[in-house]
Amino acid sequence: MFQYDVADSDDFEQIIVQAVQRILEVPDPNDFLNWARETIPPLLTLPNYMDALERGRFATLLGVTIWNATPLPQHGFTIRPIPTPMPNARCYCGSGLRYRDCCSKLEDAPELSSEVIWMVLINTISDAELKRALQLNAVPKHLLAIIADQWLDENRPRRVLALLEPLFAGSLAELSGDFEPAFDILCNAYDLLDYSRKKAAFLDRVCAEGNGQLQAAAWQRRSTMHLDAGEFTQAEEAFTAALRSHPNNPSTALLEITLLVTQKKLALARQRAQFWLHQFQRLENFDDDLFLSFLERAVTDPQGALMDADENGIHPVLIELREWITQHCQRPLPVYTIAPFQPTPGRKQRVSRLLPNTIKTRSTKALEKQEKFEFLPPPSIRKTERVWQSLFPIGKPLSTQLTLSDDEDEEIWGNPEWIQGLLEYPELADSLDVLDDIATALGAYPETELPWISQLLLWPLLERAWSIIIAATPTDDIHYLPWEVPSNQPALRLLFRRYYYQLDDAKDLQGAIATLETMLRINPHDNHGVRAELMNLYLRDGDNERAVALAQQFPNDMLTELVYGEVLALYRLGQKEQARIVLTKAAQRMPHVSNYLTRKRIKQPGFNPRGITVGGEDQAWFYREEMRDVWAAEPGILDWLKRQTA
């Protein structure tokens, strides 16, 4: 009797693959057993106490087990077991002994399910044989997901639908959790075909009729969909339903931590990781050491744990980039200088194409006459920047935009040789131009919405850029650093990215305000239009004095936020007469805003494909969408506004 368990061997999978290939090549049981005796022992680390005879016996028994579990294509993918020898017949292990004196005495032959063999067959047999197996309904139903996954990789989503939809046509309650992979792949196929209604109906049905594990999978997918859309309340409701459907589900635990990290609830994410770790450690049959390791990491670093969990599915450059950021974004700050801008003779400068603004104390003409300055890195960095520019495959985003075209996105990640430049030149972390390019690359990553990308990769870049910029432009600095000077654009673009991160990801209102104030201070021409964003933030923060001061810095502005923001701020300050005077002028220039603010419901107007119409209904609509909640929260102002503009 053998005490060796072949399932403990790391080579078991390799043996099965080779054995199945041999069976397909030479479908003769005697030939196969001869092959098994010769091939299998060298592939296994067998105990030293086994002699050559015992090794041959073991290999024969394992070979018989594999053959007896293999659906044979030449027999319609049915199993044709090797007959057990008669007691007085020679044993099939090749020992020369009678069977009754040899292998018949072995009681612990390995067990193997034909489903394991099918997982090998699906990846081994020809397309024609696979088609025949499907026609014969020979493939176990829940393993159809393996075939469907291959077809999805080959961009054949309609074939996936034809294969998998019949699985879910009957009673869903009869489908076990083994069908979860098929469920996921079918949903992915709907996504690829943009069958949103069909997918929604399918999810409704699974959520209502499926067993616990399938229901949980459907609710998890719904939660993820809401999460991607930024609908956190709905995402949490769907998560709760998933948890109720299948309480001790690792995927649900992973989803909860992802939800919390995405919402920057890091302390709670660590607490829940600790809870789940204890929960799964107490389960008797739970042996997923990889998931337990994830939870252990998430207890201290949920962001890093999520990135590590995604490691097999993300671009390896992101892993290298993370290491580079960790090692080099804490370098001593480089000393940037502010120097008078000397335009290159004969070179036409890039000019922003955003809305013009007018500034009371610094008119556009005054700014044009004012001496222009530029950010300049240390000379040693400029030389390394030229090396970087030869490696990074694309230029800067158009004008003040933060994103690139789809083709440029693909070029960045389709040919990421630029990472080698970063790894070779750590000092590139001292370059605002390079930090700007890396931030652009992260924004172009196909799954840039993953929470750890912005938190672990983008934010350290933005913080380093902020430190460099603030060191070069202290708050009492009055140098004019216009956007039209190319060397200033990386710094201003990085500041704009920092604002978006602070507002949308970090929910840091005060930090976002400080970033926008810095942008306006060093570039009062405001090519990015941040004055509108800043006005709205002042009003949401209740800082009416600064709101009024900002509006008065930009008289006769054509942005609704400035014009009507001043009205709201004055009203709040109790200066209703001054608010009425400002409103009268505002209503003459933008006559639709009052109507769009005061009405509880109003039809969305048509939009101008060329942009916002100054003074038009579309401009009023966008302002309503952004700020009506703030106006409505101020007691009496909407009634006052309606009376004043009647």
Side-chain angles (χ1 to χ4, degrees):
M1 182 181 295
F2 295 139
Q3 302 298 322
Y4 178 70
D5 187 358
V6 72
D8 290 337
S9 171
D10 294 335
D11 300 315
F12 188 38
E13 183 177 348
Q14 179 188 355
I15 290 172
I16 292 176
V17 171
Q18 291 190 27
V20 170
Q21 290 173 342
R22 180 68 182 187
I23 292 172
L24 295 177
E25 292 170 2
V26 185
D28 177 81
N30 293 325
D31 174 86
F32 176 69
L33 292 183
N34 289 333
W35 174 91
R37 284 193 293 271
E38 294 176 2
T39 307
I40 290 179
L43 297 177
L44 288 172
T45 306
L46 295 172
N48 293 329
Y49 62 77
M50 284 188 178
D51 58 22
L53 181 60
E54 289 176 320
R55 290 169 184 267
R57 287 174 175 172
F58 187 85
T60 300
L61 285 180
L62 183 54
V64 169
T65 299
I66 295 173
W67 178 282
N68 290 349
T70 301
L72 302 173
Q74 68 271 27
H75 294 293
F77 294 96
T78 58
I79 293 171
R80 297 296 177 94
I82 295 175
T84 302
M86 298 298 290
N88 290 323
R90 289 190 181 277
C91 188
Y92 49 18
C93 74
S95 65
L97 300 174
R98 290 180 297 182
Y99 178 68
R100 71 181 184 185
D101 298 325
C102 193
C103 290
S104 67
K105 298 180 179 181
L106 303 179
E107 300 175 0
D108 57 349
E111 296 182 359
L112 186 63
S113 168
S114 62
E115 292 182 359
V116 175
I117 304 298
W118 266 113
M119 296 175 70
V120 177
L121 280 176
I122 287 170
N123 295 293
T124 305
I125 60 178
S126 66
D127 288 345
E129 290 288 0
L130 181 58
K131 182 178 180 181
R132 189 163 69 90
L134 292 173
Q135 291 172 341
L136 293 170
N137 291 318
V139 183
K141 298 300 183 184
H142 65 276
L143 296 184
L144 294 178
I146 299 174
I147 303 170
D149 195 31
Q150 293 176 353
W151 288 351
L152 207 59
D153 287 342
E154 296 167 1
N155 197 27
R156 298 177 177 180
R158 296 185 188 279
R159 293 184 67 178
V160 172
L161 266 56
L163 181 66
L164 296 185
E165 282 186 331
L167 290 180
F168 300 93
S171 172
L172 297 181
E174 297 177 0
L175 300 181
S176 69
D178 291 337
F179 287 84
E180 184 177 344
F183 162 82
D184 285 327
I185 293 167
L186 182 54
C187 287
N188 292 342
Y190 286 143
D191 288 338
L192 200 59
L193 291 166
D194 199 23
Y195 286 178
S196 56
R197 292 184 180 179
K198 204 168 187 179
K199 175 185 170 183
F202 179 54
L203 289 176
D204 286 343
R205 186 163 167 256
V206 177
C207 286
E209 303 173 19
N211 73 357
Q213 191 168 337
L214 278 181
Q215 275 190 339
W219 284 114
Q220 289 164 12
R221 184 168 284 265
R222 277 188 163 172
S223 180
T224 301
M225 291 163 59
H226 288 305
L227 183 61
D228 290 343
E231 300 165 350
F232 297 125
T233 301
Q234 296 92 323
E236 289 177 352
E237 291 172 352
F239 157 75
T240 301
L243 185 62
R244 189 183 304 116
S245 300
H246 196 228
N248 292 323
N249 188 320
S251 297
T252 305
L254 176 62
L255 173 61
E256 181 178 23
I257 294 171
T258 303
L259 274 170
L260 294 171
V261 169
T262 303
Q263 298 176 78
K264 310 301 179 297
K265 300 177 181 179
L266 300 183
L268 184 55
R270 287 189 282 268
Q271 293 175 14
R272 294 300 294 172
Q274 185 71 67
F275 164 80
W276 284 114
L277 180 61
H278 289 162
Q279 186 84 345
F280 287 112
Q281 285 175 334
R282 287 197 299 266
L283 296 179
E284 292 183 3
N285 298 322
F286 190 80
D287 57 358
D288 190 341
D289 293 336
L290 190 62
F291 186 69
L292 292 177
S293 297
F294 161 78
L295 291 175
E296 289 172 353
R297 174 79 187 279
V299 169
T300 56
D301 181 14
Q303 297 161 308
L306 284 176
M307 182 173 183
D308 291 341
D310 285 338
E311 186 168 329
N312 291 333
I314 64 175
H315 205 297
V317 167
L318 290 182
I319 306 299
E320 295 179 296
L321 182 57
R322 180 190 182 191
E323 294 175 357
W324 182 84
I325 289 172
T326 302
Q327 293 177 19
H328 304 304
C329 276
Q330 300 301 321
R331 289 165 54 88
L333 293 180
V335 179
Y336 269 63
T337 56
I338 305 297
F341 173 56
Q342 301 293 334
T344 304
R347 179 182 174 185
K348 186 176 181 180
Q349 300 300 322
R350 293 170 60 189
V351 181
S352 172
R353 296 178 297 200
L354 292 186
L355 285 172
N357 73 50
T358 54
I359 303 176
K360 184 175 183 180
T361 56
R362 299 183 184 181
S363 67
T364 301
K365 289 185 177 180
L367 283 172
E368 290 174 352
K369 293 179 180 179
Q370 186 176 347
E371 185 177 11
K372 299 177 177 64
F373 290 82
E374 63 178 326
F375 281 107
L376 291 178
S380 60
I381 299 301
R382 297 179 213 174
K383 185 182 297 184
T384 313
E385 283 178 341
R386 288 194 288 272
V387 176
W388 166 258
Q389 289 161 5
S390 69
L391 295 173
F392 197 65
I394 53 95
K396 301 292 186 181
L398 178 65
S399 188
T400 57
Q401 297 176 16
L402 299 180
T403 57
L404 301 164
S405 68
D406 291 341
D407 290 342
E408 290 172 319
D409 288 352
E410 293 178 5
E411 190 172 356
I412 287 178
W413 292 101
N415 184 31
E417 295 181 1
W418 47 269
I419 189 64
Q420 298 306 319
L422 289 180
L423 299 177
E424 187 174 350
Y425 298 100
E427 63 269 25
L428 287 175
D430 298 341
S431 167
L432 291 175
D433 188 58
V434 173
L435 296 179
D436 178 39
D437 283 339
I438 301 173
T440 298
L442 290 173
Y445 185 67
E447 297 182 78
T448 189
E449 72 280 354
L450 292 171
W452 52 262
I453 289 184
S454 61
Q455 296 164 21
L456 296 183
L457 303 181
L458 180 61
W459 179 242
L461 299 175
L462 300 179
E463 276 296 83
R464 181 164 180 80
W466 170 259
S467 298
I468 294 171
I469 294 167
I470 292 301
T473 60
T475 54
D476 58 351
D477 185 84
I478 58 172
H479 289 114
Y480 172 39
L481 299 159
W483 170 262
E484 67 188 67
V485 175
S487 57
N488 293 336
Q489 292 176 5
L492 292 168
R493 192 182 290 109
L494 285 162
L495 288 175
F496 203 36
R497 287 188 189 278
R498 185 177 193 265
Y499 154 68
Y500 273 125
Y501 178 91
Q502 290 171 308
L503 189 67
D504 296 336
D505 290 275
K507 311 300 181 186
D508 179 8
L509 181 64
Q510 295 304 319
I513 288 174
T515 300
L516 294 185
E517 288 176 338
T518 299
M519 287 189 71
L520 270 183
R521 174 171 59 81
I522 64 179
N523 179 31
H525 196 284
D526 189 21
N527 304 80
H528 292 78
V530 301
R531 61 195 185 278
E533 307 279 345
L534 186 56
M535 172 62 81
N536 290 347
L537 294 186
Y538 281 156
L539 293 173
R540 287 190 178 279
D541 195 38
D543 198 337
N544 302 303
E545 290 83 357
R546 282 201 287 181
V548 171
L550 178 64
Q552 292 177 353
Q553 187 183 354
F554 296 85
N556 303 316
D557 200 280
M558 300 306 293
L559 295 179
T560 315
E561 291 82 357
L562 271 290
V563 176
Y564 276 82
E566 184 179 10
V567 175
L568 175 56
L570 289 168
Y571 184 94
R572 284 174 167 180
L573 291 169
Q575 302 177 29
K576 292 187 178 180
E577 179 58 26
Q578 184 62 26
R580 184 190 65 78
I581 294 172
V582 174
L583 175 61
T584 300
K585 296 179 180 179
Q588 292 173 352
R589 296 160 55 204
M590 302 174 185
H592 303 289
V593 175
S594 175
N595 187 39
Y596 274 81
L597 283 175
T598 55
R599 292 180 59 176
K600 289 185 178 181
R601 296 180 181 84
I602 193 167
K603 184 179 178 181
Q604 178 179 302
F607 296 141
N608 184 345
R610 296 183 178 181
I612 296 176
T613 305
V614 177
E617 291 190 61
D618 54 347
Q619 188 182 34
W621 168 269
F622 286 121
Y623 185 66
R624 169 193 170 91
E625 289 291 288
E626 181 68 25
M627 291 295 290
R628 189 181 187 277
D629 63 314
V630 179
W631 281 76
E634 182 63 27
I637 193 171
L638 292 182
D639 289 337
W640 174 85
L641 183 63
K642 190 173 184 178
R643 290 195 304 272
Q644 298 298 324
T645 56

